[in-house]
Coordinates of all heavy atoms in Angstrom, one line a residue:
G1 N 0.8 -1.2 0.0 CA 0.0 0.0 0.0 C 0.8 1.3 0.0 O 0.2 2.3 -0.1
R2 N 2.1 1.2 0.1 CA 2.9 2.4 0.1 C 2.9 3.1 -1.3 O 2.6 2.4 -2.3 CB 4.4 2.1 0.5 CG 5.1 1.3 -0.6 CD 6.6 1.0 -0.1 NE 6.6 0.1 1.0 CZ 7.6 -0.3 1.6 NH1 8.8 0.3 1.4 NH2 7.6 -1.2 2.7
Q3 N 3.2 4.4 -1.3 CA 3.2 5.1 -2.5 C 4.6 5.8 -2.7 O 5.2 6.2 -1.7 CB 2.0 6.2 -2.5 CG 0.7 5.5 -2.5 CD -0.5 6.6 -2.5 OE1 -0.2 7.8 -2.3 NE2 -1.7 6.1 -2.7
Y4 N 4.9 6.0 -4.0 CA 6.2 6.6 -4.2 C 6.1 8.2 -3.8 O 5.2 8.8 -4.3 CB 6.6 6.5 -5.6 CG 7.9 7.3 -6.0 CD1 9.1 6.9 -5.5 CD2 7.8 8.3 -6.9 CE1 10.2 7.6 -5.8 CE2 9.0 9.0 -7.3 CZ 10.2 8.7 -6.7 OH 11.3 9.4 -7.0
N5 N 7.1 8.6 -3.1 CA 7.2 10.0 -2.7 C 8.2 10.7 -3.5 O 9.4 10.5 -3.3 CB 7.5 10.1 -1.2 CG 7.7 11.5 -0.7 OD1 7.1 12.4 -1.4 ND2 8.3 11.7 0.3
N6 N 7.8 11.5 -4.5 CA 8.8 12.1 -5.4 C 9.5 13.3 -4.7 O 9.1 14.5 -4.8 CB 8.0 12.7 -6.6 CG 8.9 13.2 -7.7 OD1 10.1 12.8 -7.7 ND2 8.4 13.9 -8.6
S7 N 10.5 12.9 -3.9 CA 11.2 13.9 -3.1 C 12.6 14.1 -3.7 O 13.2 13.2 -4.3 CB 11.4 13.4 -1.7 OG 12.4 14.2 -1.0
P8 N 13.1 15.4 -3.7 CA 14.5 15.6 -4.3 C 15.6 14.9 -3.4 O 16.7 14.8 -3.9 CB 14.6 17.2 -4.2 CG 13.6 17.5 -3.1 CD 12.5 16.6 -3.3
D9 N 15.2 14.4 -2.2 CA 16.2 13.7 -1.4 C 16.3 12.2 -1.8 O 17.2 11.6 -1.2 CB 15.8 13.8 0.1 CG 15.8 15.3 0.6 OD1 16.7 16.0 0.1 OD2 15.0 15.6 1.5
N10 N 15.4 11.8 -2.7 CA 15.5 10.3 -3.1 C 16.8 10.0 -3.8 O 17.2 10.9 -4.7 CB 14.3 9.9 -3.9 CG 13.0 10.0 -3.2 OD1 13.0 9.9 -1.9 ND2 11.9 10.0 -3.8
A11 N 17.5 9.0 -3.5 CA 18.6 8.6 -4.3 C 18.2 8.1 -5.7 O 17.3 7.2 -5.7 CB 19.4 7.5 -3.6
P12 N 18.7 8.6 -6.8 CA 18.2 8.0 -8.1 C 18.7 6.6 -8.3 O 19.7 6.2 -7.7 CB 19.0 9.0 -9.1 CG 20.1 9.6 -8.3 CD 19.7 9.6 -6.9
T13 N 17.9 5.8 -9.0 CA 18.2 4.4 -9.1 C 18.2 3.9 -10.6 O 17.6 4.6 -11.5 CB 17.0 3.6 -8.4 OG1 15.8 3.8 -9.1 CG2 16.9 4.1 -7.0
W14 N 18.7 2.7 -10.8 CA 18.7 2.1 -12.1 C 17.4 1.4 -12.4 O 16.9 1.3 -13.5 CB 19.9 1.1 -12.2 CG 21.2 1.7 -12.3 CD1 22.0 2.0 -11.3 CD2 21.8 2.2 -13.6 NE1 23.2 2.6 -11.8 CE2 23.1 2.7 -13.2 CE3 21.5 2.2 -14.9 CZ2 24.0 3.2 -14.1 CZ3 22.4 2.7 -15.8 CH2 23.6 3.3 -15.4
H15 N 16.8 0.7 -11.3 CA 15.6 0.0 -11.5 C 14.3 0.7 -10.9 O 13.3 0.1 -11.1 CB 15.8 -1.4 -10.8 CG 16.9 -2.2 -11.4 ND1 18.1 -2.5 -10.8 CD2 16.9 -2.8 -12.6 CE1 18.9 -3.2 -11.6 NE2 18.2 -3.4 -12.7
G16 N 14.5 1.8 -10.4 CA 13.4 2.5 -9.9 C 12.9 2.1 -8.5 O 13.2 1.0 -8.0
Y17 N 12.0 2.9 -7.9 CA 11.3 2.6 -6.7 C 9.9 2.0 -7.2 O 9.2 2.7 -7.9 CB 11.1 3.8 -5.8 CG 12.4 4.3 -5.3 CD1 13.0 5.4 -6.0 CD2 13.0 3.8 -4.2 CE1 14.2 5.9 -5.5 CE2 14.2 4.3 -3.6 CZ 14.8 5.4 -4.3 OH 15.9 5.9 -3.9
S18 N 9.6 0.7 -6.9 CA 8.5 0.1 -7.5 C 7.5 -0.3 -6.5 O 7.8 -0.8 -5.4 CB 9.0 -1.2 -8.3 OG 9.9 -0.8 -9.3
T19 N 6.2 -0.1 -6.9 CA 5.1 -0.6 -6.2 C 4.3 -1.6 -7.1 O 4.5 -1.5 -8.3 CB 4.2 0.5 -5.7 OG1 3.7 1.3 -6.8 CG2 4.9 1.4 -4.7
A20 N 3.4 -2.4 -6.6 CA 2.6 -3.3 -7.4 C 1.3 -3.5 -6.9 O 1.0 -3.4 -5.6 CB 3.3 -4.7 -7.5
K21 N 0.4 -3.8 -7.7 CA -1.1 -4.1 -7.4 C -1.7 -5.0 -8.4 O -1.1 -5.2 -9.5 CB -1.8 -2.8 -7.2 CG -2.0 -2.1 -8.5 CD -2.8 -0.7 -8.3 CE -2.9 0.0 -9.6 NZ -3.7 1.3 -9.4
W22 N -2.8 -5.6 -8.1 CA -3.5 -6.5 -9.0 C -4.6 -5.7 -9.8 O -5.3 -4.9 -9.2 CB -4.1 -7.7 -8.3 CG -3.1 -8.7 -7.8 CD1 -2.7 -8.8 -6.4 CD2 -2.4 -9.7 -8.5 NE1 -1.8 -9.8 -6.4 CE2 -1.6 -10.3 -7.6 CE3 -2.4 -10.0 -9.9 CZ2 -0.7 -11.4 -8.0 CZ3 -1.6 -11.1 -10.3 CH2 -0.8 -11.7 -9.4
D23 N -4.6 -6.0 -11.1 CA -5.7 -5.5 -11.9 C -6.3 -6.8 -12.5 O -5.9 -7.3 -13.5 CB -5.2 -4.6 -13.0 CG -6.3 -4.1 -13.9 OD1 -7.5 -4.3 -13.6 OD2 -5.9 -3.5 -14.9
G24 N -7.3 -7.3 -11.8 CA -7.8 -8.6 -12.1 C -6.8 -9.7 -11.9 O -6.2 -9.8 -10.8
D25 N -6.4 -10.4 -12.9 CA -5.3 -11.4 -12.8 C -4.0 -10.9 -13.3 O -3.1 -11.7 -13.6 CB -5.7 -12.7 -13.6 CG -6.8 -13.5 -12.9 OD1 -6.9 -13.3 -11.7 OD2 -7.4 -14.4 -13.5
T26 N -3.9 -9.7 -13.6 CA -2.6 -9.1 -14.0 C -1.9 -8.3 -12.9 O -2.6 -7.4 -12.2 CB -2.9 -8.1 -15.2 OG1 -3.4 -8.9 -16.3 CG2 -1.6 -7.4 -15.7
L27 N -0.7 -8.6 -12.7 CA 0.1 -7.8 -11.7 C 0.7 -6.5 -12.4 O 1.4 -6.7 -13.5 CB 1.3 -8.7 -11.2 CG 2.2 -8.0 -10.1 CD1 1.4 -7.9 -8.8 CD2 3.5 -8.8 -9.9
V28 N 0.4 -5.4 -11.9 CA 0.8 -4.2 -12.5 C 1.9 -3.5 -11.6 O 1.7 -3.2 -10.4 CB -0.3 -3.1 -12.6 CG1 0.1 -1.9 -13.3 CG2 -1.5 -3.8 -13.4
V29 N 3.1 -3.4 -12.1 CA 4.3 -2.8 -11.4 C 4.5 -1.4 -11.9 O 4.7 -1.2 -13.1 CB 5.5 -3.7 -11.5 CG1 6.7 -3.1 -10.8 CG2 5.2 -5.1 -11.0
D30 N 4.6 -0.5 -11.0 CA 4.8 0.9 -11.3 C 6.2 1.3 -10.8 O 6.4 1.2 -9.6 CB 3.7 1.7 -10.6 CG 3.7 3.2 -11.0 OD1 4.4 4.0 -10.4 OD2 3.0 3.5 -12.0
S31 N 7.0 1.8 -11.6 CA 8.4 2.1 -11.3 C 8.8 3.6 -11.6 O 8.6 4.0 -12.8 CB 9.4 1.2 -12.0 OG 9.1 -0.2 -11.8
R32 N 9.3 4.2 -10.6 CA 9.7 5.7 -10.8 C 11.0 5.9 -10.0 O 11.5 5.0 -9.4 CB 8.6 6.6 -10.2 CG 7.2 6.4 -10.9 CD 6.2 7.3 -10.1 NE 4.8 7.0 -10.5 CZ 4.1 7.7 -11.3 NH1 4.7 8.8 -11.8 NH2 2.9 7.5 -11.7

């Protein structure tokens, strides 16, 4: 249930900060 906090203090990443949730039977991964 956490959400990405777009803060200037975040360390930039290669793979992103990712959250996931289900949309029916599809896993949706959100990376920023």
Side-chain angles (χ1 to χ4, degrees):
R2 72 182 65 189
Q3 296 180 347
Y4 175 65
N5 178 21
N6 188 16
S7 168
D9 296 328
N10 292 340
T13 67
W14 289 94
H15 295 110
Y17 297 94
S18 297
T19 59
K21 63 182 180 181
W22 290 102
D23 179 10
D25 283 346
T26 296
L27 183 70
V28 182
V29 177
D30 190 270
S31 305
R32 304 170 186 263

